Amino acid sequence: MDRERVSAATLATVATYRGLSSDKTKRDALVKDAACVAFLVYVLDDENLEVVKAALQTLWSFCEIVEYRASLMAVYGILPALQNVEEKFVLFAVSEIFD
């Protein structure tokens, strides 16, 4: 499978999770689905900014419900992944300013 098709499939999956998370009644199931949350954390390192943005929006929607925050913080790799996104964003912003 070539990189474009993988990226498109990844974006489609994240977009599906994003759409489901917009329904507050479905968030509980998504947060409890370890594969869903682990996938969202994993794709935070994706090269496609649309994928990263959709994953961040989905994780943010989970965090809107205070009771979910502790379980999200317990997901392996979430903090380093978020820190990596922050560093990439800063580097991207700086490169845009000085280009």
Side-chain angles (χ1 to χ4, degrees):
M1 195 182 282
D2 65 358
R3 195 174 276 212
E4 286 180 20
R5 287 177 35 200
V6 169
S7 184
T10 302
L11 183 57
T13 302
V14 175
T16 299
Y17 286 147
R18 177 75 185 115
L20 290 170
S21 74
S22 65
D23 181 347
K24 290 182 181 183
T25 62
K26 295 180 180 170
R27 282 188 203 162
D28 187 58
L30 290 172
V31 170
K32 290 178 180 175
D33 182 349
C36 169
V37 177
F39 177 75
L40 291 169
V41 170
Y42 175 76
V43 300
L44 290 175
D45 195 38
D46 199 273
E47 294 175 3
N48 185 331
L49 291 178
E50 288 181 72
V51 170
V52 175
K53 181 180 176 181
L56 284 171
Q57 289 172 332
T58 306
L59 290 167
W60 181 261
S61 73
F62 294 165
C63 290
E64 289 178 339
I65 299 173
V66 175
E67 292 80 20
Y68 297 158
R69 293 178 188 172
S71 65
L72 290 170
M73 292 302 292
V75 172
Y76 179 78
I78 195 166
L79 288 179
L82 290 170
Q83 289 167 339
N84 191 32
V85 168
E86 179 184 31
E87 289 170 13
K88 282 184 178 180
F89 176 75
V90 168
L91 291 174
F92 177 76
V94 169
S95 70
E96 288 293 308
I97 292 170
F98 293 107
D99 263 357

